[in-house]
Amino acid sequence: MKLKVFILLLTTVFFRLTAEDGSRLWLRFTDAGTETIRFSGLLADNSKVAVTEFQRAWKEMGKAPLSLTGSMKNNLLIIATPHERVIRRLIQSKDLANLSDEGYIIKTINNKNQTYTVVSAKNDAGLLYGVYHLLRLIQTNASLSGLNISENPSYERRLLNHWDNLDRTVERGYAGHSIWQWDELPGKISPRYKEYARANAFIGINGTVLNNVNAAPEILSREYLEKVKVIAGELRPFNVKVYLSVNFASPKELGGLQNSDPLNADVQRWWKQKVSEIYTLIPDFGGFLVKANSEGLPGPMDYGRTHADGANMLADALKSYGGIVMWRAFVYNPDGDDRAKQAYKEFKPLDGKFRDNVIIQLKNGPVDFQPREPFSPLFGAMKQTPIMPEFQITQEYLGFSNHLVFLSPMWKECLDSDTYCAGKGSTVAKTTDGRIFDQKITAIAGVSNIGEDINWTGHHFAQANWYAFGRLAWNNALTSEQIADEWIRMTFTKDQEFVEPVKKMMLTSHQTAVDYMMPLGLHHIFAWGHHYGPEPWCDVPGARPDWLPKYYHNASENGIGFDRTTSGSDAVSQYNSPLREEFNDIKTCPEEFLLWFHHVAWDYRMNNGKTLWNNMCYAYDSGVNKVREYQKVWDRMEDYVDKERFVHIQSRLRIQSRDAVWWKDACLLYFQQFSREPIPYDIERPVYDLEDLMKIKLDLKHHN
Amino acid sequence: MKLKVFILLLTTVFFRLTAEDGSRLWLRFTDAGTETIRFSGLLADNSKVAVTEFQRAWKEMGKAPLSLTGSMKNNLLIIATPHERVIRRLIQSKDLANLSDEGYIIKTINNKNQTYTVVSAKNDAGLLYGVYHLLRLIQTNASLSGLNISENPSYERRLLNHWDNLDRTVERGYAGHSIWQWDELPGKISPRYKEYARANAFIGINGTVLNNVNAAPEILSREYLEKVKVIAGELRPFNVKVYLSVNFASPKELGGLQNSDPLNADVQRWWKQKVSEIYTLIPDFGGFLVKANSEGLPGPMDYGRTHADGANMLADALKSYGGIVMWRAFVYNPDGDDRAKQAYKEFKPLDGKFRDNVIIQLKNGPVDFQPREPFSPLFGAMKQTPIMPEFQITQEYLGFSNHLVFLSPMWKECLDSDTYCAGKGSTVAKTTDGRIFDQKITAIAGVSNIGEDINWTGHHFAQANWYAFGRLAWNNALTSEQIADEWIRMTFTKDQEFVEPVKKMMLTSHQTAVDYMMPLGLHHIFAWGHHYGPEPWCDVPGARPDWLPKYYHNASENGIGFDRTTSGSDAVSQYNSPLREEFNDIKTCPEEFLLWFHHVAWDYRMNNGKTLWNNMCYAYDSGVNKVREYQKVWDRMEDYVDKERFVHIQSRLRIQSRDAVWWKDACLLYFQQFSREPIPYDIERPVYDLEDLMKIKLDLKHHN
């Protein structure tokens, strides 16, 4: 007994010493490079950020400093652009020919019986990404011999969208207030801006929209632009550009003009002057993100103009500076037609009407970041207008920062979806990254889950979603497994006993959340406003029908689901053949989208021979059981993780486990009123009464 | 689909028609007697309550009225005492010779090719019990042919103790306020008094203490005695006598005397006058129940007198009227010695010092109605003083009226415990029912779970505990299985598809509650005050140590449990050999009492080879799983029960299921701080954080 206690005490002390708060994200080098890495020296220009970044990490690894050298020793590490003569000697020009401005190569070169490791790129940005790639190899214990890497990013513009308000609340933010300290700026500069830039650059993100798409006109005031300038200055060394969301009514609201009509010359002039002012302060400013005529925001349609009229006016103002307009397609009106059809209906007719520095920013699904949606039919539908995917990294509909849900599989599901817009194989990825359409701009955006929490994202595992977004933006062909594997090794440990079960947990976690929240194509049955818990019964007098769960689930004694077939809203017809036929037929419609496209009788027999109702019950139950399984997986990992993060994650999994039961009970007991069938008796019974669940009103807001 | 819906609607209507609120308890005759019962007529004196009670039930069965007859027809039912000539003709005197005043016989008599069913007894009380027995046979579908039943009660006095206060709150009451409408009495008489009397008489209860043992002196005021008189009048026809709890300080508090010293002649006189006054109003008054010098209540020790001095003074006053004193042995002082030892220490020396109309009322265990306790060592220890067991029907420590816990197995465990006081086989039952000691009085008490709830007991299944107490008081040799079987058939249905699984659930439910609350001998780790949830960490500054959980569990890094061995408090020595040796040795101590008698190291290997800590974990987990299993059992019963009771019980089981998880998490996470061992990884993980559970403060009181 006594010996045991003693050991336990030691362990505790050890854990205390190495406790981690998650603030370092994937930039953890202290226990990286434990394998032998033999560099005899470094040949590089120490004034370049790529080189200082390497040296910085190398030092954190506890290695003796790599001395800068000019002579060609064996095992030399060379970090340089072709401006350096040594590169031109070692690398053939064709090696660099296919690189984009941000691409890089990493090569092991054997020359005259000596071996060199070379990181090269056309310019400094690529060099930085190359160095980060090399560091990731070291962190993940990958082999450093025989390297022959050549990478270009999938998208030119890889952006975070911060839904951060100027009062520092964050819409759909679950990791504390905004990291942008507007009140302190421009005088005081938080050290986190640079940490933020490094973390983003490390995973390939090269742009950020600082403020909420529900934009305050004040962001364009001189006062705020001075603040933005300072942030831009902090991010610039890491190749991260600043963009802003703008309020379409800014000319009137901020400028005092009569209106904000895009065809009004005064309005056009106002924007031109404003853009000029911005570029004077921030010469590499990226451009504007616009949410217009959506959910009550102003836009060109207020003046009888089109989205194109609005976007083009802004594009004209930005054009000469190289700035772009990202115009959001998230629009829908309570006009009686299926909300899922509306983006397509409004934007498809405008194809070809946009300037070449406009790109349409489109959510992955046709409704709104639901746990699972089919891809939006607008992908591939606009052939003369570039589209950029908008993913939501922040878990508005997936348990906030309480639930462990790895989003990469969900995004991959969208990216890998075949639109058939140019024949078989026309995936969403290809329709957006330039492989199908001749695009002047390619881009992708992720709605940030970052806040001022010490671990940045609230849940430690939510860091993986930020990471995954960056990695997929860089390379949309990566698999979720590759990404999870990298992230686990960099964030926690390289021990396979940890990596494998935790990876498995991450990779199944999205399906698990779908199962306990809204399986089989169910969607938008969340609680009013905050979207955390279940509220399929939600009925708010006077509310827009398309903001109410019943609009989506249509549960009655006859069945459940949204009929989007040709007999229903006909949303299926927005898809290309053969998808429209496949979705339209209940027998061929993928069962994961069954209730998205069909209103289905409770006793409908699904592929496994069980009724819809029973399948629904088993799905919810499976979700609960899988979360409980995750708890077991995690608890077994106690010895592999520092105490601080272990307990934090353990606690969140407990919440998730309780919430999964809440979801299951709420949905099954509510829908059971219509199905009038028992929950299969081999399933764990509900532990709540429906009437009690219906009384739950969480005091949560849209923003923190 | 349509047909199905129609059938469902019909079913709903059907259920609505037959919906039950539980108010009829076990007195349900509408669906009794569905089997052919052939009585050609009834020979009886219609003025007797036994006969009117039979007729009443017979009518409820929907049978054609049995005509009263004087002629000896075949299949005649005869209900009569030997005062009727027909009985003296049919029954031999030896048949009745062994009957006590309340005993009865039920016989099938074949005489001159004719068959009669005879219910007989020495007097009316026995006749009533006999008729109720016959009705129970009908209700449970037992055979009515070849009957040869002869029954005497195990205990002469079979009492409920109401812990009802005069303001109609009920201490440890979970079924609404008191059924005694003191404010309306004596003018208005609730119909429930008679229903109460019938329900009790039906199961053999023949006495009731109307008010809380924490007695208000006012109960003895003329005003209240007039009210008591009315209640007594309502109960009298059903052979239920009224008793009262008295406050020992009544002479001073109510009578205005200088003190309440039992040796003070004024005090003695006051009590004699008060008793005389009572008997003038209620000639068959039963006697007094006294809680004295316990938990702050006054008593003879306030004047340096003994319990015997106090009890005897009251006994002297009651003696000539046939009244008795029930003096409670539930006494303990914060004197530093083990609380479990104190009743024995205080009362054993007084053996032989009490009047012959005094009986000591003793809780089943030595501490206080815990989920599981060994029997109190005072049973069998007083050889010249009768002892009556006090059981707690109300679930103070067993989930209130939220948890389904059938208490019969717990009481049987006590009754069947061998005290070895007069050699092997000296069970608690025998030490109290007169089989071992030559007792002038035998009695048993159960602390009532009755309130004004429409179903009397809050939880429908809590009715079973009231029922079981009555049945065991009548016959302490009945098995829990017999009792459960009867009760289920009378309360719900005789369908075996229902009876068997529900009976199994009931019979295992006590062990289940022990498992999820305090297995392996753990005790008194309840929340402060209300005793509903877990609070093993409870620490109230300035509180009596023996009111705090830590006093009982003694958890530390070294282990857990109360050392009551000869090396500890030596409570084991209050037990007779061989029990004291068996309990004293950790190897022979029954594992269900392990932590009651021993302080045990966490890594102690138990009989199954697993450590104490792991066994504790598996026990809690088993409790949770069993409640979940009960939910499944119950949900499958939906077609056998009226909707109203089905849903009510379903809802309570959901609470119990949640509470079981709460208990498990609270206890395991709290004790884990000391065990420093992981919860075995095959067990479902905690879903709460200890720090959150420690913040729970339920706004519950001692009384409703």
Side-chain angles (χ1 to χ4, degrees), chain A residues 531-583:
Chain A
H531 300 163
Y532 186 71
E535 203 169 296
W537 50 81
C538 177
D539 196 4
V540 177
R544 286 174 60 157
D546 57 358
W547 283 2
L548 293 174
K550 289 174 183 178
Y551 175 91
Y552 300 96
H553 66 64
N554 292 293
S556 72
E557 289 165 27
N558 299 320
I560 184 172
F562 199 128
D563 184 356
R564 294 191 165 108
T565 68
T566 46
S567 321
S569 80
D570 197 27
V572 292
S573 295
Q574 292 182 341
Y575 291 91
N576 295 307
S577 285
L579 286 183
R580 64 173 63 157
E581 294 79 11
E582 185 182 315
F583 293 157

Side-chain angles (χ1 to χ4, degrees), chain B residues 632-649:
Chain B
K632 288 186 182 177
V633 168
W634 187 250
D635 279 4
R636 282 178 197 269
M637 297 301 127
E638 187 161 8
D639 292 345
Y640 300 94
V641 200
D642 55 287
K643 188 87 179 163
E644 192 173 345
R645 288 189 295 174
F646 174 78
V647 169
H648 195 269
I649 292 160

Side-chain angles (χ1 to χ4, degrees), chain B residues 41-46 51 66-73 76-80 84 86-87 90 117 119:
Chain B
L42 177 61
L43 195 161
D45 174 356
N46 216 8
V51 180
L66 275 190
S67 57
L68 282 173
T69 173
S71 64
M72 300 300 286
K73 295 187 291 187
L76 190 65
L77 172 61
I78 303 168
I79 302 173
E84 306 285 338
V86 62
I87 294 294
L90 293 173
T117 303
V119 180

